[in-house]
Amino acid sequence: AALIARLRASESRLAHSFRYLKSILDSLATPLWVLDAERRVVLFNRAFLEFTGRGDDAVTGRPEAEVLDPAGAHARARLYADSGADGVHALEAEIRDGAGATRTAIQLAARLASEGNAVQIVNSLTDITDRKQVELRLAYLADHDPLTGLPNLNRLRRVLADALQAAAAQGEQVVLLLIALERQQEVADLLGHEAGDDAVREVAARLATLAPAPLCVARVKANEFGLVLPAGPAHRPADAVALELYTVLSEPVRVGGREFHLAPVIGIALYPQDAGSANELMRLADIAKHRARSESGEPVHFHSECTHI
């Protein structure tokens, strides 16, 4: 009787300890689960049930592949194989939750030897979907203009540098055009900031229809755009492209029920005739653009007046 009493007391303490451990695990917002040697779920917390969208009976003792997204089973198997070594091992992957939504998460796995040297794997899952979306948004904004969706000045510079490197290796030519809309601010002054933005979006849409497609079309400033074009005998002459571009952008923009002429001016610099580097080509095209502004009747201006391409 005394032995039975001690056994019952021991079982009671064990049950109390398990409930205490379970309450600690359930207090955590991170999904946690433990697998046995056959990768069946033997312990889990409430956050794991919420993530999988299942109840206790649908999780306890079930193979992990039936509980978690089966599409990631192979990657998790590799993670568990790696966890045979000491320490914690990590896997970043996309995983579908119980609602079918795809989440980006980091899974941490560590191998433990329980009583009798039975192998168990303890896992946790950290949802980093929001962080990833922020990172992707920041990466996008680093290279793109949020108003038009076009590449920005940083991206234009990199594309131009790559184009010059490729042209140097192949003995080809590159054209850089910088375009300023002299009267774009008038739209904003008369109809408001949003109307000015609408005019810029309209210009961006027109630039996107150019054929053949430029290597890059970018918005480099509030009312300025840049284009990188291949040049040479196999391509249209730069002056013809520039004049066509001027004609397209000279068409009135309709905003707020009114038509506006944005008065484009274009500065052009050529590689390798005018400069051999991206920065210098940008500088010379900008100079040509300012000359186009200042010289009456010359809205399209090459940096080198002697250049024919």
Side-chain angles (χ1 to χ4, degrees):
L3 178 59
I4 291 173
R6 287 197 297 271
L7 287 174
R8 286 176 176 172
S10 177
E11 290 174 353
S12 177
R13 289 193 300 271
L14 183 62
H16 176 74
S17 297
F18 181 81
R19 288 194 300 271
Y20 181 68
L21 173 62
K22 191 71 166 62
S23 66
I24 293 175
L25 295 180
D26 285 342
S27 69
L28 300 176
T30 300
L32 300 169
W33 70 103
V34 180
L35 304 176
D36 64 13
E38 297 180 2
R39 295 178 189 166
R40 293 174 300 194
V41 181
V42 295
L43 183 63
F44 48 87
N45 66 352
R46 185 179 294 110
F48 183 74
L49 294 179
E50 293 173 353
F51 183 83
T52 59
R54 296 171 178 267
D56 286 31
D57 295 340
V59 173
T60 304
R62 297 296 181 91
E64 184 192 55
E66 294 182 8
V67 178
L68 280 179
D69 183 6
H74 185 64
R76 292 195 298 271
R78 292 198 306 269
L79 173 66
Y80 301 149
D82 293 339
S83 67
D86 293 336
V88 178
H89 296 261
L91 168 68
E92 180 180 325
E94 291 187 343
I95 183 171
R96 289 196 305 272
D97 61 17
T102 300
R103 314 294 295 175
T104 303
I106 296 177
Q107 180 181 344
L108 300 179
R111 181 168 295 201
L112 297 178
S114 61
E115 186 177 355
N117 290 324
V119 174
Q120 292 185 330
I121 300 175
V122 181
N123 298 277
S124 67
L125 201 67
T126 302
D127 190 334
I128 60 170
T129 305
D130 293 340
R131 189 183 83 187
K132 278 293 183 181
Q133 290 175 344
V134 170
E135 291 175 353
L136 290 173
R137 179 61 177 169
L138 291 176
Y140 176 84
L141 292 177
D143 278 346
H144 292 82
D145 168 50
L147 178 64
T148 63
L150 292 176
N152 59 16
L153 178 59
N154 291 333
R155 179 62 179 164
L156 177 71
R157 289 184 184 277
R158 292 204 301 275
V159 171
L160 180 59
D162 291 342
L164 297 189
Q165 184 176 7
Q170 301 171 12
E172 296 183 349
Q173 298 166 312
V174 176
V175 181
L176 172 65
L177 301 92
L178 293 182
I179 307 155
L181 307 174
E182 296 290 86
R183 300 179 62 183
Q184 183 268 336
Q185 187 58 40
E186 293 180 11
V187 182
D189 292 342
L190 290 172
L191 300 182
H193 182 72
E194 183 59 34
D197 288 347
D198 289 341
V200 171
R201 292 189 191 98
E202 172 61 26
V203 171
R206 293 183 186 183
L207 293 175
T209 63
L210 292 177
L215 298 175
C216 183
V217 178
R219 186 186 182 205
V220 298
K221 290 182 182 178
N223 67 333
E224 295 187 11
F225 295 83
L227 281 80
V228 180
L229 296 166
H235 303 279
R236 290 183 62 198
D239 53 355
V241 174
L243 290 174
E244 179 182 346
L245 182 61
Y246 175 76
T247 301
V248 169
L249 298 183
S250 295
E251 291 292 325
V253 173
R254 189 168 185 82
V255 180
R258 300 176 60 176
E259 289 188 345
F260 292 88
H261 293 269
L262 301 183
V265 294
I266 303 174
I268 307 168
L270 310 173
Y271 169 88
Q273 293 92 325
D274 295 333
S277 70
N279 288 338
E280 184 65 8
L281 210 64
M282 290 284 295
R283 189 182 72 84
L284 297 182
D286 192 58
I287 291 173
K289 180 190 66 184
H290 284 287
R291 287 177 180 168
R293 282 172 167 166
S294 61
E295 295 186 15
S296 177
E298 293 289 342
V300 178
H301 199 96
F302 280 83
H303 170 71
S304 173
E305 297 180 356
C306 299
T307 301
H308 299 281
I309 189 169

